[in-house]
């Protein structure tokens, strides 16, 4: 997360003031299932209620011994899209206010479209009466307000008791929807905009629906996990971004895979647990995107399907991403293709590791979650950090501090033993009429789980490698029955950056952007580890416990009005009747208010007189090649231009820009836009607009062939397409798609796709499919088997599935 605090403080004009310490929290029930109400499968279970208690940082979670659930595993997976209208502001960068604003944004500028829709993915695991659901969130971070609300909705709407059984991890894109963090409105410029209860409620509905779907899909399964150190040795995917702690800590070198499959079958899903910031795009970007983590997911899924012919749900779940930057720029690619490159490089590194997984049908499964209350007294109870988070007058930063430094100490030098000069959060936040204890500062949601010999803990913020390493060192090699610890960062809650104490002392941006000084990260890690320790001691209950009820209760809201559409179902800009590979196809239409959801634009192909959807490149059942995944730019360009007000009606114009893939089979295609619009008659109706048919020809793509004594070597290339943004806008006009991960963007690129070749020689015709060989740097066709080693050859070649043949290449006899 990136913020500019000086500007913020000046804008707020804050002076020192004191918040008020509350003696009692809001009256609410504490969920406590220590009495054994989890004896039935979630859906029938009900939570018991404890007596409401005041906020109490000394209250310890109870432990009830029991037998962990052990036996046959069942698993279910699902995915769906986050409900967050175009126009919502994006989280991650502070003071991102220059630009258009909408009814869905406030302190930060509005988004104006998307590179892809925001994708939620879930993996539900069930053993006996125990259940755990991993949730990959496309947001910048997790937050307990969302975590709590989702569990509440799952119980009230679906009858699923999953409090304490959900482990969220946000991918940390700095271009995902904001406004879900319930902080004071005056702090909207810090990077997540002001809180919006309607947007948060829509997000909660989205998450709950996908979680429910994964549980509905639960069926017998096998599972496997493995860890790999130094898997990205040359920084193709991610790299260290923090210099103050060099050489003690570089980037976190570990990749952990946690996968499931149907018994004896193909893998269906895998968690990819490693760190990378979602900051490939900068503050000028106006389009929602999952950034680098989304690129990894997309390319791993596509590569797996290309290799195996079976679909995979790749779930990126952050680890120590606080000091890990995205790579992908070693060859100078512009940001959109840079993200594709790092994704393809990640796929090349990860896919071979799937083959090493050792599958098993049984699992020992336990999960526990606690909400702890804390302030300075509990965070700094350990004697080694006594007075290390005090101000120059010796007073503790009771409720945290920002922008800390020590007089006379430079970044990279230790602040240990020096008084800390920080913005006191009790004074800073208290000046905004906040009552202490305050949920976003004084309560944390933490989880731990055991999956056989794999332990899992969550960290509520942006952990640095130093903290992940610390947590692993407490468990690995020291805990019988546990082989490895999977650290899930950006999980359950949010307290900004989380370094280990010695790392925090070295200063720099990540230290300054922490909330609880040198002891904060360790405090959260120690509590998650203590919870894990209880699990390993077979103290398996309660699954969910609160030191006191949440101090961030739900907030009522009135839903925004929907604007009518003045020209829905109108074709505004048609595709050309003919185009070529790597060229742009632009398509625009009159659609509906983003409040009704983002439109879907699907690529269809005409064959034998029938239009059918082109299948998505990841092979997911029922998924078409459309604008839900990266590949098509979707831009919202209403007339009049959006502002913060809501009109009675407007021309809701949408546009898709699609760069025709260099490996698309030749044929006749069209684009179809669907969605919903509120008409001027006040009725909501479907939108469906089709482009005209367009023929895709080979264009600049080129085949060449050479031979040796036994092999025919074919190359398939495309010339570079210069990158440029649309004039006056932040999104691309040309050349934003990756052609070749191994070539510079200004060089001829190699295309890797399955080809179909027809070879005429020695008086016979041989048909063969060919795949690209990384070893030979070409498509390799064996000439021995068809008996063509001594003949002159005429080779007609095209991408497999093309309607028309490509050119014929003449290859002389050897």
């Amino acid at each position: 997360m990136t913020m500019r605090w000086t500007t913020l403080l000046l804008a707020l004009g804050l002076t020192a003031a004191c918040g008020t310490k509350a003696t009692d929290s809001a009256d609410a029930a504490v969920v406590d299932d220590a009495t054994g109400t989890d004896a039935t499968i979630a859906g029938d279970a009900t939570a018991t209620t404890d007596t409401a208690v005041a906020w109490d940082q000394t209250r310890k979670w109870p432990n009830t011994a029991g037998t962990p659930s052990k036996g046959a595993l069942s698993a279910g997976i699902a995915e769906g899209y986050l409900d967050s209208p175009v126009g919502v502001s994006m989280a991650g960068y502070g003071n991102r206010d220059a630009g258009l604003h909408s009814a869905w944004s406030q302190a930060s500028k509005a988004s104006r479209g998307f590179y892809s829709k925001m994708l939620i993915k879930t993996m539900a695991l069930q053993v006996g009466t125990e259940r755990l659901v991993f949730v990959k969130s496309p947001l910048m971070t997790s937050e307990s307000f969302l975590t709590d609300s989702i569990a509440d909705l799952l119980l009230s709407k679906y009858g699923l008791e999953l409090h304490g059984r959900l482990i969220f991890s946000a991918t940390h894109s700095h271009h995902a929807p904001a406004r879900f963090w319930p902080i004071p409105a005056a702090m909207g410029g810090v990077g997540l905009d002001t809180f919006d209860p309607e947007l948060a409620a829509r997000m909660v509905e989205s998450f709950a629906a996908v979680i429910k779907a994964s549980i509905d899909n639960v069926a017998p399964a096998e599972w496997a996990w493995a860890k790999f150190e130094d898997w990205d040795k040359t920084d193709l995917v991610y790299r260290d971004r923090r210099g103050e702690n060099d050489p003690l800590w570089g980037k976190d070198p570990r990749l952990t895979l946690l996968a499931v499959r149907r018994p004896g079958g193909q893998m269906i899903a895998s968690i990819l647990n490693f760190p990378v910031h979602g900051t490939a795009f900068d503050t000028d970007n106006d389009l929602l995107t999952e950034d680098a983590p989304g690129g990894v997911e997309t390319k791993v899924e596509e590569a797996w399907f290309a290799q195996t012919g079976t679909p995979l749900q790749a779930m990126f779940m952050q680890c120590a991403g606080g000091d890990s930057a995205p790579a992908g720029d070693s060859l100078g690619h512009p940001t959109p293709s840079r993200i594709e490159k790092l994704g393809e490089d990640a796929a090349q590194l990860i896919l071979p590791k799937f083959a090493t997984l050792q599958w098993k049908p049984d699992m020992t499964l336990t999960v526990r979650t606690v909400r702890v209350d804390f302030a300075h007294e509990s965070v700094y109870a350990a004697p080694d950090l006594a007075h290390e988070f005090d101000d120059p007058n010796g007073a503790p930063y009771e409720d945290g501090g920002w922008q800390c430094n020590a007089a006379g100490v430079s970044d990279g030098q230790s602040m240990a033993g020096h008084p800390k000069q920080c913005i006191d959060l009790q004074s800073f936040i208290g000046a905004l009429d906040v009552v202490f204890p305050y949920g976003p500062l004084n309560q944390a949601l933490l989880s731990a789980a055991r999956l056989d010999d794999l332990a899992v803990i969550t960290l509520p913020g942006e952990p640095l490698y130093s903290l992940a390493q610390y947590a692993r060192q407490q468990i690995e090699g020291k805990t019988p029955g546990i082989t490895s610890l999977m650290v899930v960062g950006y999980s359950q809650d949010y307290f900004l950056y989380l370094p280990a104490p010695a790392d925090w002392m070295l200063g720099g941006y990540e230290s300054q952007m922490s909330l609880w000084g040198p002891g904060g990260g360790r405090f959260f890690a120690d509590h998650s580890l203590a919870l894990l320790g209880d699990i390993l001691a077979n103290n398996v209950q309660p699954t969910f416990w609160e030191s006191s009820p949440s101090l961030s209760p739900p907030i009522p809201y009135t839903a925004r009005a929907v604007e009518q559409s003045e020209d829905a179902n109108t074709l505004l800009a048609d595709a050309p009747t003919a185009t070529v590979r790597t060229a742009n196809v632009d398509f625009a239409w009159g659609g509906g208010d983003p409040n009704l959801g983002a439109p879907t634009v699907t690529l269809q192909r005409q064959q034998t007189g029938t239009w059918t959807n082109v299948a998505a490149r990841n092979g997911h059942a029922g998924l078409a090649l459309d604008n839900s995944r990266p590949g098509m730019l979707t831009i919202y360009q209403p007339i009049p231009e959006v502002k913060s007000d809501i009109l009675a009606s407007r021309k809701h114009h949408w546009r898709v820009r699609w760069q025709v893939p260099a490996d698309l089979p030749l044929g006749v295609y069209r684009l179809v836009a669907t969605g919903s619009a509120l008409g001027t008659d006040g009725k909501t109706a479907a939108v469906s607009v089709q482009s005209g048919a367009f023929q895709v020809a080979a264009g600049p793509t080129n085949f060449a062939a050479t031979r040796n004594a036994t092999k025919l070597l074919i190359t398939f290339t495309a010339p570079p397409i210069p990158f440029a943004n649309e004039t006056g806008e932040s999104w691309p006009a040309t050349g934003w798609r990756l052609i070749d991960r191994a070539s510079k963007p200004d060089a001829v690129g190699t295309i890797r796709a399955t080809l179909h070749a027809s070879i005429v020689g020695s008086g016979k015709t041989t048909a063969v499919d060919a795949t690209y060989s990384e070893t030979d740097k070409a498509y390799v066709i064996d000439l021995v088997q068809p008996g063509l080693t001594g003949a002159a050859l005429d080779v007609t070649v095209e991408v497999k599935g093309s309607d028309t043949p490509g050119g014929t290449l003449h290859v002389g006899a050897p």
Side-chain angles (χ1 to χ4, degrees), residues 437-789:
Y438 181 50
L441 289 180
N442 299 118
Q443 290 184 314
L445 202 62
L446 306 168
S447 296
R450 179 185 183 182
L451 289 69
D452 266 6
D453 60 335
L454 176 65
V456 180
I457 65 166
T458 68
L459 291 173
E462 308 191 32
L464 276 60
Y465 174 39
S466 59
L467 188 64
Q469 182 189 64
Y470 165 80
R472 292 167 185 154
Q473 289 172 343
Q474 311 312 304
I475 298 296
E476 295 176 353
K478 300 177 180 178
T479 308
I482 296 297
T483 305
S484 183
L485 176 69
M486 186 169 85
V487 176
V488 181
Y490 301 81
S491 185
Q492 311 294 67
D493 218 329
Y494 190 51
F495 293 89
L496 279 71
Y497 287 89
L498 305 177
D503 192 1
W504 185 95
M505 294 293 188
L506 297 174
Y509 177 80
E510 290 80 10
S511 294
Q512 292 176 347
M513 290 301 105
S514 67
L515 296 176
W516 278 100
R522 191 178 71 179
F523 173 83
F524 298 129
D526 283 347
H527 278 67
S528 291
L529 290 168
L531 192 61
L532 177 62
D534 289 335
I535 288 173
L536 298 177
N538 290 333
N539 293 321
V540 298
Q541 292 289 336
T543 297
F544 181 45
W545 176 86
E546 298 176 291
S547 180
S548 67
S550 172
L551 297 173
S552 302
I555 300 173
Y557 65 90
T558 300
R560 292 166 174 81
V562 177
E563 294 182 345
Q564 295 177 344
S565 296
E566 298 173 5
D567 58 355
N569 282 299
T570 302
L571 179 63
L572 302 173
D574 203 357
T577 57
T579 189
V580 297
R581 292 180 179 136
T582 70
N584 287 350
V585 173
D586 274 32
F587 169 49
W589 69 99
D593 185 342
N595 195 343
L596 294 173
T600 297
V601 178
T602 304
L603 181 68
Q604 293 186 335
R605 185 177 181 184
Q606 187 180 54
Q607 291 181 296
T608 63
T610 301
W611 289 102
T612 57
N613 290 346
V614 176
R617 295 197 165 201
N618 60 13
H620 286 203
L623 184 64
L625 198 161
D626 61 23
N627 66 334
S628 67
R629 300 303 203 274
M632 297 181 186
L633 306 180
T634 305
I635 314 296
Y636 178 53
Q637 297 176 309
I639 301 174
E641 199 170 62
V642 294
K643 295 182 180 178
S644 297
D645 54 337
I646 297 176
L647 306 180
S649 67
R650 195 188 305 261
K651 294 179 179 179
H652 294 284
H653 290 178
W654 295 86
R655 177 161 61 96
V656 153
R657 174 171 291 158
W658 179 52
Q659 185 177 330
V660 181
D663 60 353
L664 187 76
L666 305 183
V668 178
Y669 296 88
R670 73 177 182 181
L671 295 169
V672 179
T674 56
S676 298
L678 180 64
T680 54
D681 59 358
K683 297 180 180 179
T684 301
V687 171
S688 181
V689 182
Q690 298 82 38
S691 76
F694 54 91
Q695 177 81 47
V696 175
T701 57
N702 182 60
F703 291 100
T706 59
R707 66 182 302 165
N708 59 29
T710 62
K711 296 178 181 179
L712 178 66
L713 304 176
I714 298 174
T715 58
F716 183 23
T717 60
I721 306 298
F723 172 81
N725 273 343
E726 188 167 313
T727 302
E729 304 292 358
S730 68
W731 51 81
T734 60
W736 72 92
R737 296 301 310 276
L738 181 71
I739 294 176
D740 180 7
R741 65 176 177 272
S743 297
K744 292 183 178 181
D746 59 354
V748 172
T750 294
I751 304 169
R752 299 163 176 84
T754 301
L755 305 182
H756 180 76
S758 178
I759 306 171
V760 178
S762 297
K764 57 185 175 182
T765 300
T766 301
V768 62
D769 290 343
T771 57
Y772 186 79
S773 166
E774 293 289 350
T775 301
D776 293 282
K777 304 301 181 187
Y779 297 83
V780 180
I781 297 175
D782 179 26
L783 297 178
V784 175
Q785 185 64 31
L788 299 175
T789 55

Side-chain angles (χ1 to χ4, degrees), residues 26-73:
D27 187 19
V30 176
V31 177
D32 185 343
D33 52 12
T35 56
T37 54
D38 292 315
T40 55
I41 292 297
D44 299 322
T46 57
T48 63
T49 56
D50 197 0
T51 304
V53 297
W55 182 89
D56 181 1
Q57 64 175 313
T58 67
R59 192 169 184 238
K60 305 300 182 182
W61 60 78
N63 283 308
T64 300
T67 302
S69 292
K70 183 176 183 178
L73 173 69

Side-chain angles (χ1 to χ4, degrees), residues 281-355:
F281 282 101
D282 208 340
T283 57
D284 62 332
N285 172 54
D286 291 307
L287 304 185
L288 294 161
T289 169
E290 292 194 50
D291 205 272
V296 170
E297 285 190 342
T298 298
K299 293 302 182 179
V300 168
E301 289 183 352
E302 291 179 358
W304 176 259
F305 182 69
Q307 176 177 297
T308 68
T310 62
L312 173 72
Q313 179 172 287
M315 299 173 59
F316 177 82
M317 299 191 79
Q318 280 278 10
C319 186
D323 49 359
S324 293
D329 52 356
S330 59
L331 298 178
H333 286 279
T335 302
S337 53
R338 170 190 173 190
I339 289 172
E340 290 192 75
K341 173 177 166 49
L342 71 82
E344 290 198 10
D345 288 334
Q348 294 300 306
L349 294 169
I350 292 172
L351 260 61
K353 295 174 174 33
F354 287 141

Side-chain angles (χ1 to χ4, degrees), residues 1 5 241-242 244-245 249 322-323 380 389 401-406 410-415 420-423 462 464 466 495-521:
M1 182 174 181
W5 293 103
R241 74 171 203 169
R242 176 168 164 79
E244 291 82 2
N245 62 6
W249 295 284
D323 49 359
Y380 289 91
F389 199 42
W402 274 331
Q403 290 285 288
C404 298
N405 56 61
S410 301
D411 289 346
Q413 299 176 335
S414 178
M415 293 184 280
K420 309 305 184 291
Q421 299 173 329
C422 310
I423 297 170
E462 308 191 32
L464 276 60
S466 59
F495 293 89
L496 279 71
Y497 287 89
L498 305 177
D503 192 1
W504 185 95
M505 294 293 188
L506 297 174
Y509 177 80
E510 290 80 10
S511 294
Q512 292 176 347
M513 290 301 105
S514 67
L515 296 176
W516 278 100

